[in-house]
């Protein structure tokens, strides 16, 4: 999609610190980390957020969880655990309208965090 930051990052048009890539997903370090490990996983297909998923997107959405598992493993987060966050819509603080999972780890995290 034109003028979408995460489409451009996943296509390599805007530089990022890449952590993982396959045919369907791209993962890169968040520019403003809020935890010692903070990586974003995005589908290469432009989908705005969970709220706008269609049935056609169900397969890619399911595969995204598996990609998140692979990225967390690459980051060495398996043993200690990690948090996965999908901010969805304005009140949840979604600032980039291209669906992304935040993988957060490397520290003890408080819960609930709302
Ligand atoms: P949201 O608030 O939409 O859930 O998350 C967007 C995330 O994208 C934020 O954590 C923000 O720091 C990150 N971000 C915004 N612009 C860029 C960028 O140009 N490069 C990278 N690597 N991360 C970005
Ligand atoms: Zn996009």
């Amino acid at each position: 999609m034109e003028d979408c930051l995460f489409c451009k990052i996943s296509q390599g048009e805007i530089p990022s610190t890449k952590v993982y890539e396959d045919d369907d997903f791209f993962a890169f370090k968040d520019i403003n980390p809020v935890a010692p490990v903070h990586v974003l996983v995005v589908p290469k297909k432009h989908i705005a957020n969970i709220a706008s998923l269609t049935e056609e997107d169900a397969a890619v959405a399911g595969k995204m969880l598996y990609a998140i598992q692979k990225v967390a493993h690459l980051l060495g987060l398996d043993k200690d655990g990690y948090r996965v966050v999908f901010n969805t819509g304005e009140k949840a603080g979604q600032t980039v309208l291209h669906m992304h999972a935040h993988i957060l780890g490397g520290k003890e995290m408080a819960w609930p965090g709302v």
Side-chain angles (χ1 to χ4, degrees), residues 12-77:
E13 287 171 29
I14 291 179
S16 68
T17 306
K18 180 167 96 174
V19 171
Y20 173 83
E21 182 173 16
D22 64 23
D23 287 349
D24 299 315
F25 301 100
F26 190 87
F28 54 102
K29 288 189 181 174
D30 196 293
I31 207 167
N32 185 24
V34 299
V37 181
H38 187 172
V39 165
L40 302 173
V41 181
V42 304
K44 289 184 175 176
K45 178 182 177 187
H46 181 86
I47 299 168
N49 57 26
I50 290 177
S52 68
L53 284 175
T54 64
E55 195 171 353
E56 190 189 303
D57 299 322
V60 75
K63 279 168 97 176
M64 190 167 174
L65 281 185
Y66 192 51
I68 289 166
Q69 185 215 68
K70 283 193 234 175
V71 174
H73 178 75
L74 283 174
L75 294 167
L77 296 174

Side-chain angles (χ1 to χ4, degrees), residues 5-6 9 14-17 28-33 38 40 86-87 92-97 100 102:
L5 177 62
F6 287 176
I9 287 179
I14 291 179
S16 68
T17 306
F28 54 102
K29 288 189 181 174
D30 196 293
I31 207 167
N32 185 24
H38 187 172
L40 302 173
F86 286 82
N87 291 326
Q94 185 180 8
T95 57
V96 179
L97 276 177
H100 51 281
H102 296 255

